[in-house]
């Protein structure tokens, strides 16, 4: 039995010897709810997909299993990104997958396909995000100073980032006070002995006053500052060269508390990362009006609001990203 088919309809027709051809009844698919039908007509794609999945009552795991029975291989994380608007199906590579989704979700033919080309128009970025994007572009030459050196160029290229955990402390004046980071990396080849990191200060900060405090698993190497972009690039040196396949855990804190009210915290991923946990810990005398989990494909792109976050009684807002990157992931903050 095909598990995605509906209830079987049995039609019995009596045929006599002198009867003509039998007209088989046409079975129409069940009518869609008006709200879903309207979303399928006008989009956007991610909302139509989300509503169709909800109407069908399938978990993403079950949806993926049904697609596999259709001969379509797609990751559960990809389906999650699509329905949340975090990613968009690529044309023409993903069209076959979208058509299979229409079949599994019992939607009219081409109802989702026609929406693939109609990307939603994102909301205009807030000034803080525009400034941050431009600053990242200006910081690129600072990073290049390190990567021009052969051993530094090899360091990050030979490391796979498995997990990142950022904890940002926000003070009573709404200022970012410090960012503590813990990373888990794996050596893709034998030899890497350092990690190259970049910190981007908030607007109004004095980057010359920023400090780097290495924690477990590393010590500070070279450090470069760039006042114009409020950028800080630095090396974190391991105690030894890693062997191929070896995993290494290390951490550090950047103290940078001279900026104005923080617009949030965002991390750039040049390569995919399996998991990213970001936590913003606010002073209880200065709680934010709104926190939003966000992602964007690159520094010049507009941020996509994924979901609103709850800042609990403890003053901590948390966002977890699975299979994130390449791109920029983080939490946007709005103040009252």
């Amino acid at each position: 039995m095909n598990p995605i088919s509906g209830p079987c309809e049995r039609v019995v027709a009596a045929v006599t010897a002198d009867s003509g051809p039998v007209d088989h009844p046409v079975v129409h698919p069940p009518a869609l709810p008006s709200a879903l039908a309207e979303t399928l007509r006008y989009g956007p794609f991610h909302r139509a997909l989300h509503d169709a999945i909800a109407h069908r009552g399938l978990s993403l795991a079950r949806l993926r299993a049904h697609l596999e029975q259709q001969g379509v291989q797609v990751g559960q994380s990809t389906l999650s990104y699509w329905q949340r608007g975090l990613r968009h199906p690529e044309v023409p590579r993903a069209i076959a997958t979208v058509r299979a989704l229409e079949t599994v979700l019992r939607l009219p033919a081409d109802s989702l396909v026609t929406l693939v080309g109609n990307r939603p128009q994102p909301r205009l970025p807030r000034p803080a995000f525009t400034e941050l994007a431009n600053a990242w572009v200006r910081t690129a030459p600072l990073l290049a100073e390190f990567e021009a050196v052969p051993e530094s160029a090899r360091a990050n290229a030979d490391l796979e980032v498995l997990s990142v955990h950022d904890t940002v402390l926000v003070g009573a004046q709404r200022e970012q006070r410090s960012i503590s980071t813990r990373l888990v990396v794996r050596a893709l080849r034998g030899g890497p002995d350092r990690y190259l990191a970049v910190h981007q200060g908030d607007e109004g900060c004095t980057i010359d006053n920023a400090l780097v405090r290495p924690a477990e698993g590393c010590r500070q190497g070279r450090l470069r500052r760039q006042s114009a972009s409020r950028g800080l690039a630095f090396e974190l040196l391991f105690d030894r060269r890693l062997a191929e396949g070896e995993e290494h855990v290390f951490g550090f804190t950047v103290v940078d508390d001279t900026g104005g009210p923080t617009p949030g915290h965002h991390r750039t991923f040049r390569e995919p990362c399996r998991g990213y946990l970001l936590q913003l810990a606010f002073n209880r005398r200065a709680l934010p009006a709104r926190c939003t989990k966000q992602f964007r494909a690159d520094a010049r792109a507009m941020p996509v609001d994924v979901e609103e976050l709850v800042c609990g009684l403890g003053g901590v807002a948390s966002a977890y990203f699975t299979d994130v990157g390449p791109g920029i992931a983080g939490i946007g903050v709005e103040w009252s």
Side-chain angles (χ1 to χ4, degrees), residues 39-54:
T39 306
L40 288 171
R41 182 177 181 183
Y42 298 107
F45 171 83
H46 73 275
R47 186 176 302 164
L49 178 60
H50 175 273
D51 292 353
I53 293 173

Side-chain angles (χ1 to χ4, degrees), residues 6 31 51 54 60 75 80 101 149 153 167 183 210 248 265 284 323-324 328:
D51 292 353
L60 292 183
S80 177
L101 281 169
V149 181
T167 301
L183 295 98
H248 184 60
H265 183 78
R284 296 191 181 186
D323 299 325
V324 63
I328 301 176

Side-chain angles (χ1 to χ4, degrees), residues 100-125:
L101 281 169
E102 293 172 348
T103 300
V104 173
L105 298 173
R106 300 175 184 168
L107 301 175
D110 294 331
S111 57
L112 287 178
V113 170
T114 56
L115 296 176
V116 170
N118 299 328
R119 292 175 180 262
Q121 296 299 318
R123 296 184 296 178
L124 291 176

Side-chain angles (χ1 to χ4, degrees), residues 96-158:
T97 302
V98 176
R99 291 195 186 281
L101 281 169
E102 293 172 348
T103 300
V104 173
L105 298 173
R106 300 175 184 168
L107 301 175
D110 294 331
S111 57
L112 287 178
V113 170
T114 56
L115 296 176
V116 170
N118 299 328
R119 292 175 180 262
Q121 296 299 318
R123 296 184 296 178
L124 291 176
R126 305 175 186 95
F129 284 115
T130 302
E131 173 63 24
L132 179 61
N134 293 336
W136 269 106
V137 173
R138 294 196 302 269
T139 307
L142 183 64
L143 187 62
E145 289 185 25
F146 288 87
E147 295 186 329
V149 181
E151 58 266 25
S152 294
R154 287 199 304 269
N156 282 6
D158 288 349

